[in-house]
Amino acid sequence: MPLSTIRNTLSSCKMINLTNERTGMIYIIIAGIIWGLGGVVGQYVLQYKHLDAAWIISIRLWIPGVILLTLCYRKHKKAIFNPLKTPRELMILLFFSVVGIMNSQLSYFLAIQYSNAATATILQYLYPVVIAIILAFYLKKRPSFALIISIILALVGAFCLVTDGSIDKITLPPKAIIFGALCVVGSVAYTLSPIPLLQRYNTTTIAGWGMLFGGIILNCFHPFWHISGIIDFASVISIIFIVLVTGMIAFLLYLIGVKLLGSSKGSILATIEPLAAAFFSVVILHVDFNIVDWIGAACIIAMIVILAKNKV
């Protein structure tokens, strides 16, 4: 093969890779912005339309769950039922569904209800450092310098958000702190618990079952036909956005983006979510987000970037 042909082939491959990376970056950034805006829309329907958080999450789980499983069935047929066939895998799936997906999403919306979308989203993003600490203990590794710096940044960031920089008082409502902490626990479970299943099954299938089971369980306590709060045109549009756009479309965009770009770079780009939540909270809902809050947000975002770049 002539040398010029080889050079042209390599050049074409590089162009394809660059195109894939750019596409992946765009998808992840759009997903992060949608998720950030979704938190603000959630705050709007919770605090202005007085809708129930559990009711919102119940439909946000089972409707996308049904849609995702339907899409998976068209491609994989009866194979989508394989994770349900063994008791061990079914228990892992239920744990992932209840403690992971349902808990993280419900706690997140309750944290929003008692504070605001920006604060709740930023608190949620403490979960990567918790995962890094758990993995360090599990693998019996000495904490790296990057992990130590990340822990310090996480503590400083959380301190700024919870106290507004004041040592002698807590400005964030206690319920917001509790649900923010539960959201972190849920996000850790959401990330770690399905690993054995994801090694064997399609990601979208596992996510679909997790959403569906969580939605069914939550509907036992808050049936979707029992509606409380103000239902008008703005409420309906907001619910559609929360359920379909943030609950499914953004999720699929993120999965495609990570596949094209890689998980490490994807994790870094996903930090646009708390920034988007803070920006939209201030611009749309006029949330009071002071300089100390921005410093806290910057610390937590820096923590995420360090963990992702160093693969701690």
Side-chain angles (χ1 to χ4, degrees):
M1 184 181 292
L3 185 59
S4 60
T5 304
I6 295 173
R7 285 174 179 170
N8 290 335
T9 303
L10 290 174
S11 178
S12 298
C13 289
K14 287 180 180 178
M15 287 297 293
I16 292 170
N17 287 335
L18 284 173
T19 302
N20 286 343
E21 285 196 0
R22 289 195 190 103
T23 304
M25 287 174 64
I26 292 169
Y27 282 175
I28 292 171
I29 289 170
I30 292 173
I33 292 172
I34 289 173
W35 280 328
L37 182 57
V40 176
V41 175
Q43 182 180 343
Y44 170 74
V45 295
L46 289 169
Q47 297 181 358
Y48 292 83
K49 300 298 181 179
H50 308 293
L51 297 180
D52 185 79
W55 178 81
I56 295 171
I57 298 303
S58 71
I59 60 173
R60 193 191 189 203
L61 290 180
W62 76 261
I63 292 177
V66 169
I67 294 172
L68 288 176
L69 288 174
T70 302
L71 294 174
C72 288
Y73 184 81
R74 292 183 63 183
K75 183 176 180 180
H76 302 288
K77 305 302 179 185
K78 293 183 180 180
I80 68 167
F81 297 102
N82 289 341
L84 313 180
K85 291 181 178 179
T86 63
R88 179 178 176 275
E89 290 183 340
L90 181 58
M91 289 302 295
I92 293 173
L93 190 55
L94 287 172
F95 182 87
F96 165 63
S97 176
V98 176
V99 182
I101 293 180
M102 189 181 81
N103 174 40
S104 64
Q105 294 203 19
L106 181 58
S107 298
Y108 173 61
F109 265 64
L110 287 169
I112 290 174
Q113 182 173 322
Y114 292 109
S115 58
N116 58 71
T119 302
T121 306
I122 294 165
L123 287 176
Q124 180 192 27
Y125 267 79
L126 290 170
Y127 82 91
V129 77
V130 178
I131 291 175
I133 293 169
I134 291 171
L135 291 178
F137 276 104
Y138 180 76
L139 299 173
K140 297 179 180 178
K141 290 171 58 178
R142 293 182 64 180
S144 64
F145 178 72
L147 178 56
I148 293 170
I149 294 298
S150 298
I151 292 170
I152 293 170
L153 286 170
L155 292 173
V156 172
F159 173 79
C160 290
L161 290 170
V162 170
T163 67
D164 265 350
S166 176
I167 298 175
D168 58 350
K169 66 175 181 178
I170 294 176
T171 57
L172 203 62
K175 287 183 178 180
I177 298 173
I178 292 169
F179 287 120
L182 287 173
C183 183
V184 171
V185 172
S187 297
V188 171
Y190 175 88
T191 305
L192 296 180
S193 64
I195 290 175
L197 300 176
L198 296 176
Q199 291 171 344
R200 296 192 60 190
Y201 304 111
N202 177 271
T203 302
T204 310
T205 300
I206 298 303
W209 283 119
M211 290 179 179
L212 181 60
F213 286 153
I216 291 171
I217 292 168
L218 205 50
N219 265 281
C220 293
F221 301 96
H222 292 272
F224 67 88
W225 57 87
H226 289 173
I227 304 172
S228 60
I230 302 169
I231 297 294
D232 54 17
F233 180 75
S235 300
V236 172
I237 295 299
S238 299
I239 292 165
I240 291 171
F241 183 83
I242 291 169
V243 172
L244 295 180
V245 181
T246 70
M248 190 182 70
I249 294 174
F251 169 73
L252 292 175
L253 285 173
Y254 181 77
L255 284 182
I256 296 169
V258 167
K259 187 175 181 179
L260 293 173
L261 190 63
S263 59
S264 180
K265 292 179 181 177
S267 299
I268 295 172
L269 284 176
T271 58
I272 197 170
E273 180 187 350
L275 286 176
F279 174 78
F280 289 126
S281 293
V282 172
V283 172
I284 298 175
L285 298 180
H286 308 292
V287 170
D288 182 20
F289 211 66
N290 59 38
I291 186 64
V292 177
D293 294 323
W294 283 112
I295 291 171
C299 287
I300 292 173
I301 291 168
M303 171 211 78
I304 300 165
V305 173
I306 290 170
L307 290 175
K309 286 181 72 71
N310 291 275
K311 297 181 180 180
V312 177

